[in-house]
Every structure is written in structure tokens, then in C-alpha cells.
mmCIF file with all atom_site columns, all heavy atoms in Angstrom:
data_model
loop_
_atom_site.group_PDB
_atom_site.id
_atom_site.type_symbol
_atom_site.label_atom_id
_atom_site.label_alt_id
_atom_site.label_comp_id
_atom_site.label_asym_id
_atom_site.label_entity_id
_atom_site.label_seq_id
_atom_site.pdbx_PDB_ins_code
_atom_site.Cartn_x
_atom_site.Cartn_y
_atom_site.Cartn_z
_atom_site.occupancy
_atom_site.B_iso_or_equiv
_atom_site.pdbx_formal_charge
_atom_site.auth_seq_id
_atom_site.auth_comp_id
_atom_site.auth_asym_id
_atom_site.auth_atom_id
_atom_site.pdbx_PDB_model_num
ATOM 1   N N   . ALA A 1 1  ? 100.241 101.067 121.337 1.00 98.00 ? 23 ALA A N   1
ATOM 2   C CA  . ALA A 1 1  ? 100.129 101.062 119.876 1.00 98.00 ? 23 ALA A CA  1
ATOM 3   C C   . ALA A 1 1  ? 100.881 99.857  119.326 1.00 98.00 ? 23 ALA A C   1
ATOM 4   O O   . ALA A 1 1  ? 101.756 99.298  119.996 1.00 98.00 ? 23 ALA A O   1
ATOM 5   C CB  . ALA A 1 1  ? 100.686 102.350 119.271 1.00 98.00 ? 23 ALA A CB  1
ATOM 6   N N   . THR A 1 2  ? 100.522 99.469  118.104 1.00 98.00 ? 24 THR A N   1
ATOM 7   C CA  . THR A 1 2  ? 101.222 98.363  117.444 1.00 98.00 ? 24 THR A CA  1
ATOM 8   C C   . THR A 1 2  ? 101.481 98.712  115.987 1.00 98.00 ? 24 THR A C   1
ATOM 9   O O   . THR A 1 2  ? 100.854 99.614  115.420 1.00 98.00 ? 24 THR A O   1
ATOM 10  C CB  . THR A 1 2  ? 100.415 97.050  117.489 1.00 98.00 ? 24 THR A CB  1
ATOM 11  O OG1 . THR A 1 2  ? 99.319  97.123  116.565 1.00 98.00 ? 24 THR A OG1 1
ATOM 12  C CG2 . THR A 1 2  ? 99.888  96.746  118.889 1.00 98.00 ? 24 THR A CG2 1
ATOM 13  N N   . VAL A 1 3  ? 102.391 97.969  115.391 1.00 98.00 ? 25 VAL A N   1
ATOM 14  C CA  . VAL A 1 3  ? 102.693 98.077  113.967 1.00 98.00 ? 25 VAL A CA  1
ATOM 15  C C   . VAL A 1 3  ? 102.383 96.733  113.320 1.00 98.00 ? 25 VAL A C   1
ATOM 16  O O   . VAL A 1 3  ? 102.934 95.704  113.735 1.00 98.00 ? 25 VAL A O   1
ATOM 17  C CB  . VAL A 1 3  ? 104.158 98.465  113.714 1.00 98.00 ? 25 VAL A CB  1
ATOM 18  C CG1 . VAL A 1 3  ? 104.464 98.514  112.217 1.00 98.00 ? 25 VAL A CG1 1
ATOM 19  C CG2 . VAL A 1 3  ? 104.484 99.805  114.374 1.00 98.00 ? 25 VAL A CG2 1
ATOM 20  N N   . PHE A 1 4  ? 101.507 96.740  112.347 1.00 98.00 ? 26 PHE A N   1
ATOM 21  C CA  . PHE A 1 4  ? 101.211 95.533  111.572 1.00 98.00 ? 26 PHE A CA  1
ATOM 22  C C   . PHE A 1 4  ? 102.303 95.352  110.524 1.00 98.00 ? 26 PHE A C   1
ATOM 23  O O   . PHE A 1 4  ? 102.692 96.308  109.851 1.00 98.00 ? 26 PHE A O   1
ATOM 24  C CB  . PHE A 1 4  ? 99.857  95.673  110.873 1.00 98.00 ? 26 PHE A CB  1
ATOM 25  C CG  . PHE A 1 4  ? 99.562  94.576  109.883 1.00 98.00 ? 26 PHE A CG  1
ATOM 26  C CD1 . PHE A 1 4  ? 98.911  93.420  110.276 1.00 98.00 ? 26 PHE A CD1 1
ATOM 27  C CD2 . PHE A 1 4  ? 99.950  94.694  108.557 1.00 98.00 ? 26 PHE A CD2 1
ATOM 28  C CE1 . PHE A 1 4  ? 98.649  92.404  109.371 1.00 98.00 ? 26 PHE A CE1 1
ATOM 29  C CE2 . PHE A 1 4  ? 99.696  93.682  107.635 1.00 98.00 ? 26 PHE A CE2 1
ATOM 30  C CZ  . PHE A 1 4  ? 99.041  92.536  108.048 1.00 98.00 ? 26 PHE A CZ  1
ATOM 31  N N   . VAL A 1 5  ? 102.766 94.112  110.372 1.00 98.00 ? 27 VAL A N   1
ATOM 32  C CA  . VAL A 1 5  ? 103.856 93.840  109.430 1.00 98.00 ? 27 VAL A CA  1
ATOM 33  C C   . VAL A 1 5  ? 103.457 92.750  108.442 1.00 98.00 ? 27 VAL A C   1
ATOM 34  O O   . VAL A 1 5  ? 102.831 91.741  108.812 1.00 98.00 ? 27 VAL A O   1
ATOM 35  C CB  . VAL A 1 5  ? 105.149 93.448  110.173 1.00 98.00 ? 27 VAL A CB  1
ATOM 36  C CG1 . VAL A 1 5  ? 106.262 93.108  109.185 1.00 98.00 ? 27 VAL A CG1 1
ATOM 37  C CG2 . VAL A 1 5  ? 105.594 94.586  111.093 1.00 98.00 ? 27 VAL A CG2 1
ATOM 38  N N   . ASP A 1 6  ? 103.826 92.965  107.219 1.00 97.00 ? 28 ASP A N   1
ATOM 39  C CA  . ASP A 1 6  ? 103.629 92.073  106.070 1.00 97.00 ? 28 ASP A CA  1
ATOM 40  C C   . ASP A 1 6  ? 103.664 90.597  106.429 1.00 97.00 ? 28 ASP A C   1
ATOM 41  O O   . ASP A 1 6  ? 104.603 90.124  107.067 1.00 97.00 ? 28 ASP A O   1
ATOM 42  C CB  . ASP A 1 6  ? 104.735 92.393  105.047 1.00 97.00 ? 28 ASP A CB  1
ATOM 43  C CG  . ASP A 1 6  ? 105.261 91.171  104.319 1.00 97.00 ? 28 ASP A CG  1
ATOM 44  O OD1 . ASP A 1 6  ? 104.560 90.682  103.426 1.00 97.00 ? 28 ASP A OD1 1
ATOM 45  O OD2 . ASP A 1 6  ? 106.376 90.726  104.652 1.00 97.00 ? 28 ASP A OD2 1
ATOM 46  N N   . CYS A 1 7  ? 102.632 89.878  105.996 1.00 96.00 ? 29 CYS A N   1
ATOM 47  C CA  . CYS A 1 7  ? 102.609 88.422  106.177 1.00 96.00 ? 29 CYS A CA  1
ATOM 48  C C   . CYS A 1 7  ? 101.769 87.755  105.090 1.00 96.00 ? 29 CYS A C   1
ATOM 49  O O   . CYS A 1 7  ? 101.242 86.672  105.289 1.00 96.00 ? 29 CYS A O   1
ATOM 50  C CB  . CYS A 1 7  ? 102.090 88.042  107.563 1.00 96.00 ? 29 CYS A CB  1
ATOM 51  S SG  . CYS A 1 7  ? 100.493 88.773  108.000 1.00 96.00 ? 29 CYS A SG  1
ATOM 52  N N   . HIS A 1 8  ? 101.607 88.447  103.940 1.00 95.00 ? 30 HIS A N   1
ATOM 53  C CA  . HIS A 1 8  ? 100.837 87.921  102.808 1.00 95.00 ? 30 HIS A CA  1
ATOM 54  C C   . HIS A 1 8  ? 99.416  87.573  103.251 1.00 95.00 ? 30 HIS A C   1
ATOM 55  O O   . HIS A 1 8  ? 98.895  86.492  102.953 1.00 95.00 ? 30 HIS A O   1
ATOM 56  C CB  . HIS A 1 8  ? 101.528 86.709  102.183 1.00 95.00 ? 30 HIS A CB  1
ATOM 57  C CG  . HIS A 1 8  ? 101.123 86.445  100.764 1.00 95.00 ? 30 HIS A CG  1
ATOM 58  N ND1 . HIS A 1 8  ? 100.074 85.640  100.426 1.00 95.00 ? 30 HIS A ND1 1
ATOM 59  C CD2 . HIS A 1 8  ? 101.630 86.905  99.588  1.00 95.00 ? 30 HIS A CD2 1
ATOM 60  C CE1 . HIS A 1 8  ? 99.943  85.589  99.111  1.00 95.00 ? 30 HIS A CE1 1
ATOM 61  N NE2 . HIS A 1 8  ? 100.881 86.368  98.579  1.00 95.00 ? 30 HIS A NE2 1
ATOM 62  N N   . SER A 1 9  ? 98.802  88.507  103.952 1.00 96.00 ? 31 SER A N   1
ATOM 63  C CA  . SER A 1 9  ? 97.468  88.295  104.501 1.00 96.00 ? 31 SER A CA  1
ATOM 64  C C   . SER A 1 9  ? 96.423  89.083  103.712 1.00 96.00 ? 31 SER A C   1
ATOM 65  O O   . SER A 1 9  ? 96.607  90.269  103.438 1.00 96.00 ? 31 SER A O   1
ATOM 66  C CB  . SER A 1 9  ? 97.433  88.735  105.963 1.00 96.00 ? 31 SER A CB  1
ATOM 67  O OG  . SER A 1 9  ? 96.194  88.468  106.550 1.00 96.00 ? 31 SER A OG  1
ATOM 68  N N   . MET A 1 10 ? 95.340  88.425  103.367 1.00 96.00 ? 32 MET A N   1
ATOM 69  C CA  . MET A 1 10 ? 94.181  89.063  102.732 1.00 96.00 ? 32 MET A CA  1
ATOM 70  C C   . MET A 1 10 ? 94.519  89.765  101.416 1.00 96.00 ? 32 MET A C   1
ATOM 71  O O   . MET A 1 10 ? 93.943  90.800  101.072 1.00 96.00 ? 32 MET A O   1
ATOM 72  C CB  . MET A 1 10 ? 93.518  90.061  103.690 1.00 96.00 ? 32 MET A CB  1
ATOM 73  C CG  . MET A 1 10 ? 93.073  89.463  105.000 1.00 96.00 ? 32 MET A CG  1
ATOM 74  S SD  . MET A 1 10 ? 91.769  88.232  104.788 1.00 96.00 ? 32 MET A SD  1
ATOM 75  C CE  . MET A 1 10 ? 91.504  87.712  106.483 1.00 96.00 ? 32 MET A CE  1
ATOM 76  N N   . TYR A 1 11 ? 95.445  89.206  100.661 1.00 97.00 ? 33 TYR A N   1
ATOM 77  C CA  . TYR A 1 11 ? 95.706  89.756  99.331  1.00 97.00 ? 33 TYR A CA  1
ATOM 78  C C   . TYR A 1 11 ? 94.432  89.649  98.486  1.00 97.00 ? 33 TYR A C   1
ATOM 79  O O   . TYR A 1 11 ? 93.623  88.730  98.658  1.00 97.00 ? 33 TYR A O   1
ATOM 80  C CB  . TYR A 1 11 ? 96.831  88.973  98.641  1.00 97.00 ? 33 TYR A CB  1
ATOM 81  C CG  . TYR A 1 11 ? 98.223  89.440  98.979  1.00 97.00 ? 33 TYR A CG  1
ATOM 82  C CD1 . TYR A 1 11 ? 98.525  89.998  100.220 1.00 97.00 ? 33 TYR A CD1 1
ATOM 83  C CD2 . TYR A 1 11 ? 99.255  89.315  98.051  1.00 97.00 ? 33 TYR A CD2 1
ATOM 84  C CE1 . TYR A 1 11 ? 99.814  90.417  100.523 1.00 97.00 ? 33 TYR A CE1 1
ATOM 85  C CE2 . TYR A 1 11 ? 100.547 89.729  98.354  1.00 97.00 ? 33 TYR A CE2 1
ATOM 86  C CZ  . TYR A 1 11 ? 100.812 90.281  99.589  1.00 97.00 ? 33 TYR A CZ  1
ATOM 87  O OH  . TYR A 1 11 ? 102.090 90.690  99.891  1.00 97.00 ? 33 TYR A OH  1
ATOM 88  N N   . ARG A 1 12 ? 94.272  90.578  97.577  1.00 97.00 ? 34 ARG A N   1
ATOM 89  C CA  . ARG A 1 12 ? 93.116  90.529  96.685  1.00 97.00 ? 34 ARG A CA  1
ATOM 90  C C   . ARG A 1 12 ? 93.165  89.266  95.819  1.00 97.00 ? 34 ARG A C   1
ATOM 91  O O   . ARG A 1 12 ? 94.232  88.849  95.378  1.00 97.00 ? 34 ARG A O   1
ATOM 92  C CB  . ARG A 1 12 ? 93.104  91.760  95.783  1.00 97.00 ? 34 ARG A CB  1
ATOM 93  C CG  . ARG A 1 12 ? 92.854  93.084  96.503  1.00 97.00 ? 34 ARG A CG  1
ATOM 94  C CD  . ARG A 1 12 ? 93.016  94.253  95.543  1.00 97.00 ? 34 ARG A CD  1
ATOM 95  N NE  . ARG A 1 12 ? 92.744  95.533  96.185  1.00 97.00 ? 34 ARG A NE  1
ATOM 96  C CZ  . ARG A 1 12 ? 92.915  96.712  95.585  1.00 97.00 ? 34 ARG A CZ  1
ATOM 97  N NH1 . ARG A 1 12 ? 93.381  96.759  94.338  1.00 97.00 ? 34 ARG A NH1 1
ATOM 98  N NH2 . ARG A 1 12 ? 92.636  97.835  96.226  1.00 97.00 ? 34 ARG A NH2 1
ATOM 99  N N   . LYS A 1 13 ? 92.000  88.720  95.565  1.00 96.00 ? 35 LYS A N   1
ATOM 100 C CA  . LYS A 1 13 ? 91.919  87.526  94.737  1.00 96.00 ? 35 LYS A CA  1
ATOM 101 C C   . LYS A 1 13 ? 92.017  87.868  93.255  1.00 96.00 ? 35 LYS A C   1
ATOM 102 O O   . LYS A 1 13 ? 92.509  87.062  92.450  1.00 96.00 ? 35 LYS A O   1
ATOM 103 C CB  . LYS A 1 13 ? 90.606  86.797  95.016  1.00 96.00 ? 35 LYS A CB  1
ATOM 104 C CG  . LYS A 1 13 ? 90.445  85.492  94.243  1.00 96.00 ? 35 LYS A CG  1
ATOM 105 C CD  . LYS A 1 13 ? 89.132  84.818  94.594  1.00 96.00 ? 35 LYS A CD  1
ATOM 106 C CE  . LYS A 1 13 ? 88.948  83.512  93.813  1.00 96.00 ? 35 LYS A CE  1
ATOM 107 N NZ  . LYS A 1 13 ? 87.659  82.843  94.154  1.00 96.00 ? 35 LYS A NZ  1
ATOM 108 N N   . GLU A 1 14 ? 91.556  89.055  92.891  1.00 96.00 ? 36 GLU A N   1
ATOM 109 C CA  . GLU A 1 14 ? 91.490  89.437  91.484  1.00 96.00 ? 36 GLU A CA  1
ATOM 110 C C   . GLU A 1 14 ? 92.261  90.725  91.240  1.00 96.00 ? 36 GLU A C   1
ATOM 111 O O   . GLU A 1 14 ? 92.714  91.379  92.166  1.00 96.00 ? 36 GLU A O   1
ATOM 112 C CB  . GLU A 1 14 ? 90.021  89.593  91.062  1.00 96.00 ? 36 GLU A CB  1
ATOM 113 C CG  . GLU A 1 14 ? 89.211  88.309  91.231  1.00 96.00 ? 36 GLU A CG  1
ATOM 114 C CD  . GLU A 1 14 ? 87.728  88.518  90.957  1.00 96.00 ? 36 GLU A CD  1
ATOM 115 O OE1 . GLU A 1 14 ? 87.273  89.683  90.973  1.00 96.00 ? 36 GLU A OE1 1
ATOM 116 O OE2 . GLU A 1 14 ? 87.022  87.514  90.746  1.00 96.00 ? 36 GLU A OE2 1
ATOM 117 N N   . GLY A 1 15 ? 92.380  91.073  89.968  1.00 96.00 ? 37 GLY A N   1
ATOM 118 C CA  . GLY A 1 15 ? 93.072  92.284  89.575  1.00 96.00 ? 37 GLY A CA  1
ATOM 119 C C   . GLY A 1 15 ? 94.516  92.020  89.210  1.00 96.00 ? 37 GLY A C   1
ATOM 120 O O   . GLY A 1 15 ? 95.006  90.888  89.303  1.00 96.00 ? 37 GLY A O   1
ATOM 121 N N   . PRO A 1 16 ? 95.237  93.056  88.760  1.00 97.00 ? 38 PRO A N   1
ATOM 122 C CA  . PRO A 1 16 ? 96.641  92.890  88.383  1.00 97.00 ? 38 PRO A CA  1
ATOM 123 C C   . PRO A 1 16 ? 97.450  92.287  89.523  1.00 97.00 ? 38 PRO A C   1
ATOM 124 O O   . PRO A 1 16 ? 97.306  92.675  90.689  1.00 97.00 ? 38 PRO A O   1
ATOM 125 C CB  . PRO A 1 16 ? 97.086  94.322  88.075  1.00 97.00 ? 38 PRO A CB  1
ATOM 126 C CG  . PRO A 1 16 ? 95.822  95.056  87.735  1.00 97.00 ? 38 PRO A CG  1
ATOM 127 C CD  . PRO A 1 16 ? 94.761  94.441  88.586  1.00 97.00 ? 38 PRO A CD  1
ATOM 128 N N   . ALA A 1 17 ? 98.313  91.360  89.209  1.00 96.00 ? 39 ALA A N   1
ATOM 129 C CA  . ALA A 1 17 ? 99.060  90.637  90.237  1.00 96.00 ? 39 ALA A CA  1
ATOM 130 C C   . ALA A 1 17 ? 99.849  91.577  91.143  1.00 96.00 ? 39 ALA A C   1
ATOM 131 O O   . ALA A 1 17 ? 99.913  91.368  92.363  1.00 96.00 ? 39 ALA A O   1
ATOM 132 C CB  . ALA A 1 17 ? 99.997  89.626  89.574  1.00 96.00 ? 39 ALA A CB  1
ATOM 133 N N   . GLU A 1 18 ? 100.444 92.624  90.556  1.00 97.00 ? 40 GLU A N   1
ATOM 134 C CA  . GLU A 1 18 ? 101.305 93.494  91.353  1.00 97.00 ? 40 GLU A CA  1
ATOM 135 C C   . GLU A 1 18 ? 100.514 94.345  92.351  1.00 97.00 ? 40 GLU A C   1
ATOM 136 O O   . GLU A 1 18 ? 101.080 94.901  93.296  1.00 97.00 ? 40 GLU A O   1
ATOM 137 C CB  . GLU A 1 18 ? 102.146 94.401  90.451  1.00 97.00 ? 40 GLU A CB  1
ATOM 138 C CG  . GLU A 1 18 ? 101.369 95.427  89.652  1.00 97.00 ? 40 GLU A CG  1
ATOM 139 C CD  . GLU A 1 18 ? 100.915 94.896  88.293  1.00 97.00 ? 40 GLU A CD  1
ATOM 140 O OE1 . GLU A 1 18 ? 100.923 93.660  88.111  1.00 97.00 ? 40 GLU A OE1 1
ATOM 141 O OE2 . GLU A 1 18 ? 100.546 95.722  87.435  1.00 97.00 ? 40 GLU A OE2 1
ATOM 142 N N   . LEU A 1 19 ? 99.174  94.454  92.135  1.00 98.00 ? 41 LEU A N   1
ATOM 143 C CA  . LEU A 1 19 ? 98.340  95.266  93.016  1.00 98.00 ? 41 LEU A CA  1
ATOM 144 C C   . LEU A 1 19 ? 97.584  94.448  94.056  1.00 98.00 ? 41 LEU A C   1
ATOM 145 O O   . LEU A 1 19 ? 96.912  95.014  94.920  1.00 98.00 ? 41 LEU A O   1
ATOM 146 C CB  . LEU A 1 19 ? 97.333  96.079  92.193  1.00 98.00 ? 41 LEU A CB  1
ATOM 147 C CG  . LEU A 1 19 ? 97.916  97.176  91.307  1.00 98.00 ? 41 LEU A CG  1
ATOM 148 C CD1 . LEU A 1 19 ? 96.808  97.820  90.471  1.00 98.00 ? 41 LEU A CD1 1
ATOM 149 C CD2 . LEU A 1 19 ? 98.627  98.239  92.155  1.00 98.00 ? 41 LEU A CD2 1
ATOM 150 N N   . ARG A 1 20 ? 97.699  93.146  94.017  1.00 98.00 ? 42 ARG A N   1
ATOM 151 C CA  . ARG A 1 20 ? 96.922  92.327  94.955  1.00 98.00 ? 42 ARG A CA  1
ATOM 152 C C   . ARG A 1 20 ? 97.376  92.516  96.395  1.00 98.00 ? 42 ARG A C   1
ATOM 153 O O   . ARG A 1 20 ? 96.614  92.317  97.336  1.00 98.00 ? 42 ARG A O   1
ATOM 154 C CB  . ARG A 1 20 ? 96.995  90.860  94.537  1.00 98.00 ? 42 ARG A CB  1
ATOM 155 C CG  . ARG A 1 20 ? 96.270  90.612  93.223  1.00 98.00 ? 42 ARG A CG  1
ATOM 156 C CD  . ARG A 1 20 ? 96.328  89.161  92.768  1.00 98.00 ? 42 ARG A CD  1
ATOM 157 N NE  . ARG A 1 20 ? 95.734  89.029  91.439  1.00 98.00 ? 42 ARG A NE  1
ATOM 158 C CZ  . ARG A 1 20 ? 95.677  87.907  90.748  1.00 98.00 ? 42 ARG A CZ  1
ATOM 159 N NH1 . ARG A 1 20 ? 96.181  86.794  91.276  1.00 98.00 ? 42 ARG A NH1 1
ATOM 160 N NH2 . ARG A 1 20 ? 95.122  87.883  89.557  1.00 98.00 ? 42 ARG A NH2 1
ATOM 161 N N   . CYS A 1 21 ? 98.638  92.932  96.582  1.00 98.00 ? 43 CYS A N   1
ATOM 162 C CA  . CYS A 1 21 ? 99.153  93.193  97.927  1.00 98.00 ? 43 CYS A CA  1
ATOM 163 C C   . CYS A 1 21 ? 98.410  94.330  98.615  1.00 98.00 ? 43 CYS A C   1
ATOM 164 O O   . CYS A 1 21 ? 98.463  94.453  99.850  1.00 98.00 ? 43 CYS A O   1
ATOM 165 C CB  . CYS A 1 21 ? 100.642 93.506  97.873  1.00 98.00 ? 43 CYS A CB  1
ATOM 166 S SG  . CYS A 1 21 ? 101.078 94.898  96.799  1.00 98.00 ? 43 CYS A SG  1
ATOM 167 N N   . ILE A 1 22 ? 97.693  95.164  97.849  1.00 98.00 ? 44 ILE A N   1
ATOM 168 C CA  . ILE A 1 22 ? 96.949  96.279  98.432  1.00 98.00 ? 44 ILE A CA  1
ATOM 169 C C   . ILE A 1 22 ? 95.905  95.756  99.418  1.00 98.00 ? 44 ILE A C   1
ATOM 170 O O   . ILE A 1 22 ? 95.568  96.416  100.408 1.00 98.00 ? 44 ILE A O   1
ATOM 171 C CB  . ILE A 1 22 ? 96.252  97.119  97.336  1.00 98.00 ? 44 ILE A CB  1
ATOM 172 C CG1 . ILE A 1 22 ? 97.258  97.548  96.258  1.00 98.00 ? 44 ILE A CG1 1
ATOM 173 C CG2 . ILE A 1 22 ? 95.565  98.342  97.934  1.00 98.00 ? 44 ILE A CG2 1
ATOM 174 C CD1 . ILE A 1 22 ? 98.392  98.381  96.753  1.00 98.00 ? 44 ILE A CD1 1
ATOM 175 N N   . GLY A 1 23 ? 95.401  94.547  99.167  1.00 98.00 ? 45 GLY A N   1
ATOM 176 C CA  . GLY A 1 23 ? 94.396  93.978  100.056 1.00 98.00 ? 45 GLY A CA  1
ATOM 177 C C   . GLY A 1 23 ? 94.876  93.863  101.495 1.00 98.00 ? 45 GLY A C   1
ATOM 178 O O   . GLY A 1 23 ? 94.086  94.027  102.439 1.00 98.00 ? 45 GLY A O   1
ATOM 179 N N   . GLU A 1 24 ? 96.147  93.581  101.684 1.00 98.00 ? 46 GLU A N   1
ATOM 180 C CA  . GLU A 1 24 ? 96.679  93.458  103.040 1.00 98.00 ? 46 GLU A CA  1
ATOM 181 C C   . GLU A 1 24 ? 96.627  94.794  103.771 1.00 98.00 ? 46 GLU A C   1
ATOM 182 O O   . GLU A 1 24 ? 96.277  94.859  104.958 1.00 98.00 ? 46 GLU A O   1
ATOM 183 C CB  . GLU A 1 24 ? 98.112  92.935  102.990 1.00 98.00 ? 46 GLU A CB  1
ATOM 184 C CG  . GLU A 1 24 ? 98.734  92.719  104.354 1.00 98.00 ? 46 GLU A CG  1
ATOM 185 C CD  . GLU A 1 24 ? 100.030 91.935  104.294 1.00 98.00 ? 46 GLU A CD  1
ATOM 186 O OE1 . GLU A 1 24 ? 100.966 92.401  103.616 1.00 98.00 ? 46 GLU A OE1 1
ATOM 187 O OE2 . GLU A 1 24 ? 100.100 90.860  104.906 1.00 98.00 ? 46 GLU A OE2 1
ATOM 188 N N   . THR A 1 25 ? 96.965  95.863  103.071 1.00 98.00 ? 47 THR A N   1
ATOM 189 C CA  . THR A 1 25 ? 96.912  97.193  103.682 1.00 98.00 ? 47 THR A CA  1
ATOM 190 C C   . THR A 1 25 ? 95.473  97.576  103.991 1.00 98.00 ? 47 THR A C   1
ATOM 191 O O   . THR A 1 25 ? 95.184  98.138  105.061 1.00 98.00 ? 47 THR A O   1
ATOM 192 C CB  . THR A 1 25 ? 97.564  98.223  102.750 1.00 98.00 ? 47 THR A CB  1
ATOM 193 O OG1 . THR A 1 25 ? 98.929  97.858  102.539 1.00 98.00 ? 47 THR A OG1 1
ATOM 194 C CG2 . THR A 1 25 ? 97.502  99.622  103.340 1.00 98.00 ? 47 THR A CG2 1
ATOM 195 N N   . GLU A 1 26 ? 94.553  97.277  103.088 1.00 98.00 ? 48 GLU A N   1
ATOM 196 C CA  . GLU A 1 26 ? 93.138  97.565  103.334 1.00 98.00 ? 48 GLU A CA  1
ATOM 197 C C   . GLU A 1 26 ? 92.638  96.813  104.561 1.00 98.00 ? 48 GLU A C   1
ATOM 198 O O   . GLU A 1 26 ? 91.888  97.355  105.388 1.00 98.00 ? 48 GLU A O   1
ATOM 199 C CB  . GLU A 1 26 ? 92.317  97.192  102.099 1.00 98.00 ? 48 GLU A CB  1
ATOM 200 C CG  . GLU A 1 26 ? 92.612  98.069  100.887 1.00 98.00 ? 48 GLU A CG  1
ATOM 201 C CD  . GLU A 1 26 ? 91.971  97.547  99.600  1.00 98.00 ? 48 GLU A CD  1
ATOM 202 O OE1 . GLU A 1 26 ? 91.871  96.317  99.439  1.00 98.00 ? 48 GLU A OE1 1
ATOM 203 O OE2 . GLU A 1 26 ? 91.580  98.389  98.765  1.00 98.00 ? 48 GLU A OE2 1
ATOM 204 N N   . PHE A 1 27 ? 93.024  95.560  104.672 1.00 98.00 ? 49 PHE A N   1
ATOM 205 C CA  . PHE A 1 27 ? 92.634  94.732  105.810 1.00 98.00 ? 49 PHE A CA  1
ATOM 206 C C   . PHE A 1 27 ? 93.173  95.308  107.117 1.00 98.00 ? 49 PHE A C   1
ATOM 207 O O   . PHE A 1 27 ? 92.429  95.509  108.091 1.00 98.00 ? 49 PHE A O   1
ATOM 208 C CB  . PHE A 1 27 ? 93.156  93.309  105.578 1.00 98.00 ? 49 PHE A CB  1
ATOM 209 C CG  . PHE A 1 27 ? 93.214  92.438  106.788 1.00 98.00 ? 49 PHE A CG  1
ATOM 210 C CD1 . PHE A 1 27 ? 92.085  92.176  107.539 1.00 98.00 ? 49 PHE A CD1 1
ATOM 211 C CD2 . PHE A 1 27 ? 94.418  91.853  107.170 1.00 98.00 ? 49 PHE A CD2 1
ATOM 212 C CE1 . PHE A 1 27 ? 92.145  91.357  108.662 1.00 98.00 ? 49 PHE A CE1 1
ATOM 213 C CE2 . PHE A 1 27 ? 94.492  91.029  108.283 1.00 98.00 ? 49 PHE A CE2 1
ATOM 214 C CZ  . PHE A 1 27 ? 93.351  90.785  109.039 1.00 98.00 ? 49 PHE A CZ  1
ATOM 215 N N   . ALA A 1 28 ? 94.468  95.595  107.157 1.00 98.00 ? 50 ALA A N   1
ATOM 216 C CA  . ALA A 1 28 ? 95.073  96.129  108.377 1.00 98.00 ? 50 ALA A CA  1
ATOM 217 C C   . ALA A 1 28 ? 94.499  97.498  108.724 1.00 98.00 ? 50 ALA A C   1
ATOM 218 O O   . ALA A 1 28 ? 94.310  97.821  109.906 1.00 98.00 ? 50 ALA A O   1
ATOM 219 C CB  . ALA A 1 28 ? 96.591  96.213  108.217 1.00 98.00 ? 50 ALA A CB  1
ATOM 220 N N   . ASN A 1 29 ? 94.207  98.292  107.718 1.00 98.00 ? 51 ASN A N   1
ATOM 221 C CA  . ASN A 1 29 ? 93.626  99.607  107.965 1.00 98.00 ? 51 ASN A CA  1
ATOM 222 C C   . ASN A 1 29 ? 92.225  99.483  108.554 1.00 98.00 ? 51 ASN A C   1
ATOM 223 O O   . ASN A 1 29 ? 91.802  100.302 109.380 1.00 98.00 ? 51 ASN A O   1
ATOM 224 C CB  . ASN A 1 29 ? 93.593  100.424 106.672 1.00 98.00 ? 51 ASN A CB  1
ATOM 225 C CG  . ASN A 1 29 ? 93.216  101.876 106.917 1.00 98.00 ? 51 ASN A CG  1
ATOM 226 O OD1 . ASN A 1 29 ? 93.784  102.536 107.785 1.00 98.00 ? 51 ASN A OD1 1
ATOM 227 N ND2 . ASN A 1 29 ? 92.241  102.362 106.169 1.00 98.00 ? 51 ASN A ND2 1
ATOM 228 N N   . GLY A 1 30 ? 91.496  98.452  108.142 1.00 98.00 ? 52 GLY A N   1
ATOM 229 C CA  . GLY A 1 30 ? 90.179  98.219  108.727 1.00 98.00 ? 52 GLY A CA  1
ATOM 230 C C   . GLY A 1 30 ? 90.283  97.868  110.203 1.00 98.00 ? 52 GLY A C   1
ATOM 231 O O   . GLY A 1 30 ? 89.486  98.346  111.025 1.00 98.00 ? 52 GLY A O   1
ATOM 232 N N   . VAL A 1 31 ? 91.251  97.035  110.545 1.00 98.00 ? 53 VAL A N   1
ATOM 233 C CA  . VAL A 1 31 ? 91.479  96.707  111.952 1.00 98.00 ? 53 VAL A CA  1
ATOM 234 C C   . VAL A 1 31 ? 91.875  97.961  112.725 1.00 98.00 ? 53 VAL A C   1
ATOM 235 O O   . VAL A 1 31 ? 91.406  98.204  113.844 1.00 98.00 ? 53 VAL A O   1
ATOM 236 C CB  . VAL A 1 31 ? 92.559  95.623  112.086 1.00 98.00 ? 53 VAL A CB  1
ATOM 237 C CG1 . VAL A 1 31 ? 92.954  95.422  113.547 1.00 98.00 ? 53 VAL A CG1 1
ATOM 238 C CG2 . VAL A 1 31 ? 92.069  94.314  111.483 1.00 98.00 ? 53 VAL A CG2 1
#
């Protein structure tokens, strides 16, 4: 098993700035 760790990856391009980090979790969850 592995743990994915924050690296400012695949942040959302649009939407409220404070919520763009959600894109990274969505990306890692897809993997």
C-alpha cells in the first residue's frame, strides 16, 4: 500500500480559490 502526499497536483482550474485543492484529492482517489 502507499500514501499519496500533497504536492499541488491537479488543482481545479476554476471555482473558489480555497476549494481548488479538492482537485488533488479527486485525482489521487481516481488513481
Side-chain angles (χ1 to χ4, degrees):
T24 74
V25 178
F26 171 90
V27 178
D28 143 76
C29 53
H30 202 270
S31 184
M32 303 295 179
Y33 275 31
R34 293 174 178 175
K35 183 179 179 180
E36 300 174 342
E40 66 271 17
L41 292 176
R42 292 180 186 177
C43 57
I44 307 300
E46 182 168 59
T47 300
E48 293 170 326
F49 162 58
N51 190 50
V53 171

